PDB file of all heavy atoms in Angstrom:
ATOM      1  N   PHE A  11     -47.783  79.480 -28.721  1.00  0.00           N
ATOM      2  CA  PHE A  11     -48.205  78.211 -28.116  1.00  0.00           C
ATOM      3  C   PHE A  11     -48.905  77.365 -29.064  1.00  0.00           C
ATOM      4  O   PHE A  11     -48.725  76.144 -29.216  1.00  0.00           O
ATOM      5  CB  PHE A  11     -48.875  78.357 -26.764  1.00  0.00           C
ATOM      6  CG  PHE A  11     -49.075  77.136 -25.959  1.00  0.00           C
ATOM      7  CD1 PHE A  11     -48.021  76.848 -25.089  1.00  0.00           C
ATOM      8  CD2 PHE A  11     -50.131  76.281 -26.087  1.00  0.00           C
ATOM      9  CE1 PHE A  11     -48.093  75.723 -24.270  1.00  0.00           C
ATOM     10  CE2 PHE A  11     -50.178  75.134 -25.388  1.00  0.00           C
ATOM     11  CZ  PHE A  11     -49.136  74.777 -24.461  1.00  0.00           C
ATOM     12  N   LEU A  12     -49.899  77.979 -29.759  1.00  0.00           N
ATOM     13  CA  LEU A  12     -50.684  77.240 -30.781  1.00  0.00           C
ATOM     14  C   LEU A  12     -49.921  76.836 -32.028  1.00  0.00           C
ATOM     15  O   LEU A  12     -50.311  76.032 -32.790  1.00  0.00           O
ATOM     16  CB  LEU A  12     -51.888  78.063 -31.206  1.00  0.00           C
ATOM     17  CG  LEU A  12     -53.087  78.105 -30.107  1.00  0.00           C
ATOM     18  CD1 LEU A  12     -54.039  79.128 -30.371  1.00  0.00           C
ATOM     19  CD2 LEU A  12     -53.737  76.759 -29.999  1.00  0.00           C
ATOM     20  N   ASN A  13     -48.770  77.503 -32.199  1.00  0.00           N
ATOM     21  CA  ASN A  13     -48.031  77.211 -33.450  1.00  0.00           C
ATOM     22  C   ASN A  13     -46.679  76.415 -33.126  1.00  0.00           C
ATOM     23  O   ASN A  13     -45.775  76.353 -33.932  1.00  0.00           O
ATOM     24  CB  ASN A  13     -47.578  78.599 -34.022  1.00  0.00           C
ATOM     25  CG  ASN A  13     -48.735  79.196 -34.746  1.00  0.00           C
ATOM     26  OD1 ASN A  13     -49.599  78.475 -35.187  1.00  0.00           O
ATOM     27  ND2 ASN A  13     -48.712  80.529 -34.767  1.00  0.00           N
ATOM     28  N   LYS A  14     -46.705  75.720 -31.995  1.00  0.00           N
ATOM     29  CA  LYS A  14     -45.539  74.834 -31.687  1.00  0.00           C
ATOM     30  C   LYS A  14     -45.407  73.846 -32.746  1.00  0.00           C
ATOM     31  O   LYS A  14     -46.434  73.380 -33.422  1.00  0.00           O
ATOM     32  CB  LYS A  14     -45.724  74.145 -30.268  1.00  0.00           C
ATOM     33  CG  LYS A  14     -45.392  75.104 -29.162  1.00  0.00           C
ATOM     34  CD  LYS A  14     -45.406  74.390 -27.757  1.00  0.00           C
ATOM     35  CE  LYS A  14     -44.987  75.307 -26.641  1.00  0.00           C
ATOM     36  NZ  LYS A  14     -44.919  74.573 -25.436  1.00  0.00           N
ATOM     37  N   PRO A  15     -44.236  73.269 -33.040  1.00  0.00           N
ATOM     38  CA  PRO A  15     -44.066  72.275 -34.244  1.00  0.00           C
ATOM     39  C   PRO A  15     -44.921  71.135 -34.095  1.00  0.00           C
ATOM     40  O   PRO A  15     -45.380  70.654 -35.176  1.00  0.00           O
ATOM     41  CB  PRO A  15     -42.502  72.019 -33.994  1.00  0.00           C
ATOM     42  CG  PRO A  15     -41.928  73.178 -33.413  1.00  0.00           C
ATOM     43  CD  PRO A  15     -43.024  73.648 -32.359  1.00  0.00           C
ATOM     44  N   ASN A  16     -45.215  70.607 -32.986  1.00  0.00           N
ATOM     45  CA  ASN A  16     -45.977  69.383 -32.914  1.00  0.00           C
ATOM     46  C   ASN A  16     -47.545  69.598 -32.987  1.00  0.00           C
ATOM     47  O   ASN A  16     -48.320  68.741 -32.692  1.00  0.00           O
ATOM     48  CB  ASN A  16     -45.707  68.509 -31.651  1.00  0.00           C
ATOM     49  CG  ASN A  16     -45.986  69.370 -30.369  1.00  0.00           C
ATOM     50  OD1 ASN A  16     -46.092  70.632 -30.375  1.00  0.00           O
ATOM     51  ND2 ASN A  16     -45.995  68.619 -29.209  1.00  0.00           N
ATOM     52  N   ASN A  17     -47.857  70.870 -33.375  1.00  0.00           N
ATOM     53  CA  ASN A  17     -49.339  71.213 -33.511  1.00  0.00           C
ATOM     54  C   ASN A  17     -49.719  71.099 -34.988  1.00  0.00           C
ATOM     55  O   ASN A  17     -50.848  71.541 -35.380  1.00  0.00           O
ATOM     56  CB  ASN A  17     -49.602  72.689 -32.971  1.00  0.00           C
ATOM     57  CG  ASN A  17     -49.486  72.632 -31.475  1.00  0.00           C
ATOM     58  OD1 ASN A  17     -49.233  71.682 -30.905  1.00  0.00           O
ATOM     59  ND2 ASN A  17     -49.622  73.864 -30.940  1.00  0.00           N
ATOM     60  N   THR A  18     -48.847  70.634 -35.820  1.00  0.00           N
ATOM     61  CA  THR A  18     -49.109  70.771 -37.280  1.00  0.00           C
ATOM     62  C   THR A  18     -50.385  69.960 -37.723  1.00  0.00           C
ATOM     63  O   THR A  18     -51.218  70.357 -38.568  1.00  0.00           O
ATOM     64  CB  THR A  18     -47.955  70.296 -38.126  1.00  0.00           C
ATOM     65  OG1 THR A  18     -47.629  68.936 -37.752  1.00  0.00           O
ATOM     66  CG2 THR A  18     -46.768  71.172 -37.951  1.00  0.00           C
ATOM     67  N   GLU A  19     -50.721  68.714 -36.963  1.00  0.00           N
ATOM     68  CA  GLU A  19     -51.804  68.014 -37.326  1.00  0.00           C
ATOM     69  C   GLU A  19     -53.169  68.793 -37.060  1.00  0.00           C
ATOM     70  O   GLU A  19     -54.057  68.627 -37.841  1.00  0.00           O
ATOM     71  CB  GLU A  19     -51.909  66.829 -36.344  1.00  0.00           C
ATOM     72  CG  GLU A  19     -50.910  65.725 -36.817  1.00  0.00           C
ATOM     73  CD  GLU A  19     -51.403  64.883 -37.988  1.00  0.00           C
ATOM     74  OE1 GLU A  19     -52.572  64.992 -38.358  1.00  0.00           O
ATOM     75  OE2 GLU A  19     -50.669  64.076 -38.489  1.00  0.00           O
ATOM     76  N   PHE A  20     -53.183  69.661 -36.118  1.00  0.00           N
ATOM     77  CA  PHE A  20     -54.326  70.440 -35.680  1.00  0.00           C
ATOM     78  C   PHE A  20     -54.737  71.347 -36.800  1.00  0.00           C
ATOM     79  O   PHE A  20     -55.992  71.380 -37.168  1.00  0.00           O
ATOM     80  CB  PHE A  20     -53.907  71.307 -34.548  1.00  0.00           C
ATOM     81  CG  PHE A  20     -54.908  72.422 -34.133  1.00  0.00           C
ATOM     82  CD1 PHE A  20     -56.144  72.238 -33.738  1.00  0.00           C
ATOM     83  CD2 PHE A  20     -54.493  73.764 -34.117  1.00  0.00           C
ATOM     84  CE1 PHE A  20     -57.036  73.190 -33.384  1.00  0.00           C
ATOM     85  CE2 PHE A  20     -55.294  74.819 -33.816  1.00  0.00           C
ATOM     86  CZ  PHE A  20     -56.657  74.554 -33.460  1.00  0.00           C
ATOM     87  N   TYR A  21     -53.855  71.849 -37.591  1.00  0.00           N
ATOM     88  CA  TYR A  21     -54.156  72.800 -38.735  1.00  0.00           C
ATOM     89  C   TYR A  21     -54.523  71.945 -40.034  1.00  0.00           C
ATOM     90  O   TYR A  21     -54.863  72.551 -41.090  1.00  0.00           O
ATOM     91  CB  TYR A  21     -53.043  73.771 -38.994  1.00  0.00           C
ATOM     92  CG  TYR A  21     -52.877  74.705 -37.987  1.00  0.00           C
ATOM     93  CD1 TYR A  21     -51.808  74.773 -37.122  1.00  0.00           C
ATOM     94  CD2 TYR A  21     -53.911  75.576 -37.615  1.00  0.00           C
ATOM     95  CE1 TYR A  21     -51.616  75.662 -36.138  1.00  0.00           C
ATOM     96  CE2 TYR A  21     -53.825  76.471 -36.538  1.00  0.00           C
ATOM     97  CZ  TYR A  21     -52.601  76.630 -35.817  1.00  0.00           C
ATOM     98  OH  TYR A  21     -52.498  77.418 -34.769  1.00  0.00           O
ATOM     99  N   ASN A  22     -54.560  70.646 -39.919  1.00  0.00           N
ATOM    100  CA  ASN A  22     -54.973  69.824 -41.091  1.00  0.00           C
ATOM    101  C   ASN A  22     -56.584  69.911 -40.915  1.00  0.00           C
ATOM    102  O   ASN A  22     -57.220  69.606 -42.019  1.00  0.00           O
ATOM    103  CB  ASN A  22     -54.576  68.364 -40.969  1.00  0.00           C
ATOM    104  CG  ASN A  22     -53.032  68.314 -41.400  1.00  0.00           C
ATOM    105  OD1 ASN A  22     -52.454  69.206 -41.953  1.00  0.00           O
ATOM    106  ND2 ASN A  22     -52.495  67.304 -40.882  1.00  0.00           N
ATOM    107  N   TYR A  23     -57.101  70.243 -39.870  1.00  0.00           N
ATOM    108  CA  TYR A  23     -58.573  70.146 -39.586  1.00  0.00           C
ATOM    109  C   TYR A  23     -59.205  71.543 -39.486  1.00  0.00           C
ATOM    110  O   TYR A  23     -60.261  71.907 -40.026  1.00  0.00           O
ATOM    111  CB  TYR A  23     -58.833  69.296 -38.459  1.00  0.00           C
ATOM    112  CG  TYR A  23     -58.425  67.958 -38.550  1.00  0.00           C
ATOM    113  CD1 TYR A  23     -57.098  67.573 -38.103  1.00  0.00           C
ATOM    114  CD2 TYR A  23     -59.242  66.901 -39.015  1.00  0.00           C
ATOM    115  CE1 TYR A  23     -56.705  66.187 -38.253  1.00  0.00           C
ATOM    116  CE2 TYR A  23     -58.786  65.611 -39.232  1.00  0.00           C
ATOM    117  CZ  TYR A  23     -57.653  65.228 -38.684  1.00  0.00           C
ATOM    118  OH  TYR A  23     -57.216  63.977 -38.852  1.00  0.00           O
ATOM    119  N   ILE A  24     -58.444  72.380 -38.706  1.00  0.00           N
ATOM    120  CA  ILE A  24     -59.028  73.706 -38.303  1.00  0.00           C
ATOM    121  C   ILE A  24     -58.167  74.733 -39.137  1.00  0.00           C
ATOM    122  O   ILE A  24     -56.973  74.770 -39.171  1.00  0.00           O
ATOM    123  CB  ILE A  24     -58.853  73.940 -36.768  1.00  0.00           C
ATOM    124  CG1 ILE A  24     -59.492  72.884 -36.057  1.00  0.00           C
ATOM    125  CG2 ILE A  24     -59.384  75.374 -36.439  1.00  0.00           C
ATOM    126  CD1 ILE A  24     -60.960  72.828 -36.238  1.00  0.00           C
ATOM    127  N   ASN A  25     -58.921  75.722 -39.698  1.00  0.00           N
ATOM    128  CA  ASN A  25     -58.360  76.688 -40.521  1.00  0.00           C
ATOM    129  C   ASN A  25     -57.531  77.643 -39.632  1.00  0.00           C
ATOM    130  O   ASN A  25     -58.042  78.276 -38.671  1.00  0.00           O
ATOM    131  CB  ASN A  25     -59.471  77.562 -41.272  1.00  0.00           C
ATOM    132  CG  ASN A  25     -58.957  78.458 -42.209  1.00  0.00           C
ATOM    133  OD1 ASN A  25     -57.924  79.029 -42.057  1.00  0.00           O
ATOM    134  ND2 ASN A  25     -59.735  78.844 -43.239  1.00  0.00           N
ATOM    135  N   LYS A  26     -56.231  77.856 -39.885  1.00  0.00           N
ATOM    136  CA  LYS A  26     -55.349  78.600 -39.102  1.00  0.00           C
ATOM    137  C   LYS A  26     -55.751  80.081 -39.065  1.00  0.00           C
ATOM    138  O   LYS A  26     -55.815  80.722 -38.070  1.00  0.00           O
ATOM    139  CB  LYS A  26     -53.959  78.556 -39.679  1.00  0.00           C
ATOM    140  CG  LYS A  26     -52.938  79.169 -38.711  1.00  0.00           C
ATOM    141  CD  LYS A  26     -51.558  78.795 -39.143  1.00  0.00           C
ATOM    142  CE  LYS A  26     -50.479  79.344 -38.286  1.00  0.00           C
ATOM    143  NZ  LYS A  26     -49.108  78.974 -38.631  1.00  0.00           N
ATOM    144  N   ASP A  27     -56.289  80.641 -40.220  1.00  0.00           N
ATOM    145  CA  ASP A  27     -56.785  82.028 -40.248  1.00  0.00           C
ATOM    146  C   ASP A  27     -57.951  82.225 -39.255  1.00  0.00           C
ATOM    147  O   ASP A  27     -58.019  83.255 -38.659  1.00  0.00           O
ATOM    148  CB  ASP A  27     -57.233  82.385 -41.624  1.00  0.00           C
ATOM    149  CG  ASP A  27     -56.105  82.574 -42.566  1.00  0.00           C
ATOM    150  OD1 ASP A  27     -54.948  82.789 -42.181  1.00  0.00           O
ATOM    151  OD2 ASP A  27     -56.245  82.482 -43.799  1.00  0.00           O
ATOM    152  N   PHE A  28     -58.817  81.237 -39.060  1.00  0.00           N
ATOM    153  CA  PHE A  28     -59.942  81.277 -38.166  1.00  0.00           C
ATOM    154  C   PHE A  28     -59.416  81.395 -36.727  1.00  0.00           C
ATOM    155  O   PHE A  28     -59.982  82.109 -35.871  1.00  0.00           O
ATOM    156  CB  PHE A  28     -60.908  80.161 -38.297  1.00  0.00           C
ATOM    157  CG  PHE A  28     -62.132  80.340 -37.567  1.00  0.00           C
ATOM    158  CD1 PHE A  28     -63.230  80.870 -38.118  1.00  0.00           C
ATOM    159  CD2 PHE A  28     -62.248  79.787 -36.245  1.00  0.00           C
ATOM    160  CE1 PHE A  28     -64.393  80.950 -37.256  1.00  0.00           C
ATOM    161  CE2 PHE A  28     -63.353  79.863 -35.496  1.00  0.00           C
ATOM    162  CZ  PHE A  28     -64.545  80.460 -36.075  1.00  0.00           C
ATOM    163  N   VAL A  29     -58.388  80.638 -36.457  1.00  0.00           N
ATOM    164  CA  VAL A  29     -57.707  80.588 -35.094  1.00  0.00           C
ATOM    165  C   VAL A  29     -57.206  81.983 -34.784  1.00  0.00           C
ATOM    166  O   VAL A  29     -57.405  82.601 -33.702  1.00  0.00           O
ATOM    167  CB  VAL A  29     -56.740  79.496 -34.932  1.00  0.00           C
ATOM    168  CG1 VAL A  29     -55.962  79.561 -33.581  1.00  0.00           C
ATOM    169  CG2 VAL A  29     -57.322  78.164 -35.133  1.00  0.00           C
ATOM    170  N   ILE A  30     -56.380  82.508 -35.679  1.00  0.00           N
ATOM    171  CA  ILE A  30     -55.850  83.951 -35.509  1.00  0.00           C
ATOM    172  C   ILE A  30     -56.861  84.932 -35.326  1.00  0.00           C
ATOM    173  O   ILE A  30     -56.761  85.788 -34.439  1.00  0.00           O
ATOM    174  CB  ILE A  30     -54.888  84.213 -36.684  1.00  0.00           C
ATOM    175  CG1 ILE A  30     -53.782  83.160 -36.745  1.00  0.00           C
ATOM    176  CG2 ILE A  30     -54.334  85.559 -36.487  1.00  0.00           C
ATOM    177  CD1 ILE A  30     -52.853  83.084 -35.547  1.00  0.00           C
ATOM    178  N   LYS A  31     -57.926  84.849 -36.073  1.00  0.00           N
ATOM    179  CA  LYS A  31     -59.002  85.869 -35.992  1.00  0.00           C
ATOM    180  C   LYS A  31     -59.774  85.727 -34.556  1.00  0.00           C
ATOM    181  O   LYS A  31     -60.176  86.740 -34.069  1.00  0.00           O
ATOM    182  CB  LYS A  31     -59.988  85.760 -37.179  1.00  0.00           C
ATOM    183  CG  LYS A  31     -59.387  86.228 -38.487  1.00  0.00           C
ATOM    184  CD  LYS A  31     -60.413  86.039 -39.604  1.00  0.00           C
ATOM    185  CE  LYS A  31     -59.723  86.517 -40.923  1.00  0.00           C
ATOM    186  NZ  LYS A  31     -60.611  86.274 -42.095  1.00  0.00           N
ATOM    187  N   THR A  32     -59.898  84.518 -34.147  1.00  0.00           N
ATOM    188  CA  THR A  32     -60.486  84.321 -32.871  1.00  0.00           C
ATOM    189  C   THR A  32     -59.681  84.936 -31.783  1.00  0.00           C
ATOM    190  O   THR A  32     -60.159  85.578 -30.853  1.00  0.00           O
ATOM    191  CB  THR A  32     -60.636  82.760 -32.593  1.00  0.00           C
ATOM    192  OG1 THR A  32     -61.471  82.186 -33.570  1.00  0.00           O
ATOM    193  CG2 THR A  32     -61.283  82.500 -31.099  1.00  0.00           C
ATOM    194  N   ILE A  33     -58.275  84.706 -31.810  1.00  0.00           N
ATOM    195  CA  ILE A  33     -57.486  85.442 -30.929  1.00  0.00           C
ATOM    196  C   ILE A  33     -57.544  86.917 -30.881  1.00  0.00           C
ATOM    197  O   ILE A  33     -57.663  87.624 -29.965  1.00  0.00           O
ATOM    198  CB  ILE A  33     -56.019  84.990 -31.195  1.00  0.00           C
ATOM    199  CG1 ILE A  33     -55.780  83.400 -30.850  1.00  0.00           C
ATOM    200  CG2 ILE A  33     -55.018  85.805 -30.255  1.00  0.00           C
ATOM    201  CD1 ILE A  33     -54.463  82.885 -31.392  1.00  0.00           C
ATOM    202  N   ASP A  34     -57.605  87.517 -32.112  1.00  0.00           N
ATOM    203  CA  ASP A  34     -57.728  88.873 -32.433  1.00  0.00           C
ATOM    204  C   ASP A  34     -58.956  89.395 -31.686  1.00  0.00           C
ATOM    205  O   ASP A  34     -59.052  90.470 -31.068  1.00  0.00           O
ATOM    206  CB  ASP A  34     -57.645  89.251 -33.825  1.00  0.00           C
ATOM    207  CG  ASP A  34     -56.294  89.093 -34.438  1.00  0.00           C
ATOM    208  OD1 ASP A  34     -55.283  89.130 -33.711  1.00  0.00           O
ATOM    209  OD2 ASP A  34     -56.209  88.968 -35.702  1.00  0.00           O
ATOM    210  N   LYS A  35     -60.093  88.655 -31.918  1.00  0.00           N
ATOM    211  CA  LYS A  35     -61.337  89.094 -31.355  1.00  0.00           C
ATOM    212  C   LYS A  35     -61.372  89.114 -29.854  1.00  0.00           C
ATOM    213  O   LYS A  35     -61.939  89.997 -29.190  1.00  0.00           O
ATOM    214  CB  LYS A  35     -62.471  88.163 -31.858  1.00  0.00           C
ATOM    215  CG  LYS A  35     -62.914  88.310 -33.332  1.00  0.00           C
ATOM    216  CD  LYS A  35     -64.037  87.267 -33.650  1.00  0.00           C
ATOM    217  CE  LYS A  35     -64.402  87.456 -35.083  1.00  0.00           C
ATOM    218  NZ  LYS A  35     -65.428  86.564 -35.583  1.00  0.00           N
ATOM    219  N   HIS A  36     -60.740  88.116 -29.258  1.00  0.00           N
ATOM    220  CA  HIS A  36     -60.574  88.008 -27.821  1.00  0.00           C
ATOM    221  C   HIS A  36     -59.803  89.218 -27.258  1.00  0.00           C
ATOM    222  O   HIS A  36     -60.153  89.807 -26.275  1.00  0.00           O
ATOM    223  CB  HIS A  36     -60.022  86.805 -27.338  1.00  0.00           C
ATOM    224  CG  HIS A  36     -60.005  86.540 -25.862  1.00  0.00           C
ATOM    225  ND1 HIS A  36     -61.049  86.127 -25.201  1.00  0.00           N
ATOM    226  CD2 HIS A  36     -58.993  86.758 -24.896  1.00  0.00           C
ATOM    227  CE1 HIS A  36     -60.865  86.084 -23.923  1.00  0.00           C
ATOM    228  NE2 HIS A  36     -59.530  86.386 -23.747  1.00  0.00           N
ATOM    229  N   PHE A  37     -58.753  89.584 -27.864  1.00  0.00           N
ATOM    230  CA  PHE A  37     -57.899  90.582 -27.422  1.00  0.00           C
ATOM    231  C   PHE A  37     -58.558  92.076 -27.811  1.00  0.00           C
ATOM    232  O   PHE A  37     -58.026  93.121 -27.282  1.00  0.00           O
ATOM    233  CB  PHE A  37     -56.488  90.544 -28.030  1.00  0.00           C
ATOM    234  CG  PHE A  37     -55.691  89.553 -27.235  1.00  0.00           C
ATOM    235  CD1 PHE A  37     -55.771  88.161 -27.452  1.00  0.00           C
ATOM    236  CD2 PHE A  37     -54.784  89.989 -26.257  1.00  0.00           C
ATOM    237  CE1 PHE A  37     -54.990  87.276 -26.761  1.00  0.00           C
ATOM    238  CE2 PHE A  37     -54.048  89.073 -25.525  1.00  0.00           C
ATOM    239  CZ  PHE A  37     -54.062  87.697 -25.717  1.00  0.00           C
ATOM    240  N   SER A  38     -59.578  91.964 -28.656  1.00  0.00           N
ATOM    241  CA  SER A  38     -60.326  93.310 -28.921  1.00  0.00           C
ATOM    242  C   SER A  38     -61.522  93.410 -28.006  1.00  0.00           C
ATOM    243  O   SER A  38     -62.109  94.491 -28.131  1.00  0.00           O
ATOM    244  CB  SER A  38     -60.747  93.272 -30.369  1.00  0.00           C
ATOM    245  OG  SER A  38     -59.702  93.161 -31.240  1.00  0.00           O
ATOM    246  N   GLY A  39     -61.696  92.534 -27.026  1.00  0.00           N
ATOM    247  CA  GLY A  39     -62.700  92.739 -26.056  1.00  0.00           C
ATOM    248  C   GLY A  39     -63.858  91.685 -26.014  1.00  0.00           C
ATOM    249  O   GLY A  39     -64.496  91.528 -25.137  1.00  0.00           O
TER     250      GLY A  39
END
């Protein structure tokens, strides 16, 4: 959902690796 094509502007500001790591942390508890 966060990687839908029209989300490209979002990653001009927010580091994609940080987003993925946040998701990983949430799913780790």
Side-chain angles (χ1 to χ4, degrees):
F11 194 86
L12 282 167
N13 286 331
K14 283 187 174 182
N16 59 345
N17 291 357
T18 54
E19 287 280 354
F20 168 61
Y21 292 117
N22 289 339
Y23 301 89
I24 303 298
N25 188 332
K26 190 171 184 178
D27 288 341
F28 189 89
V29 175
I30 299 300
K31 287 178 181 177
T32 299
I33 295 172
D34 288 339
K35 287 179 180 179
H36 186 78
F37 280 82
S38 297

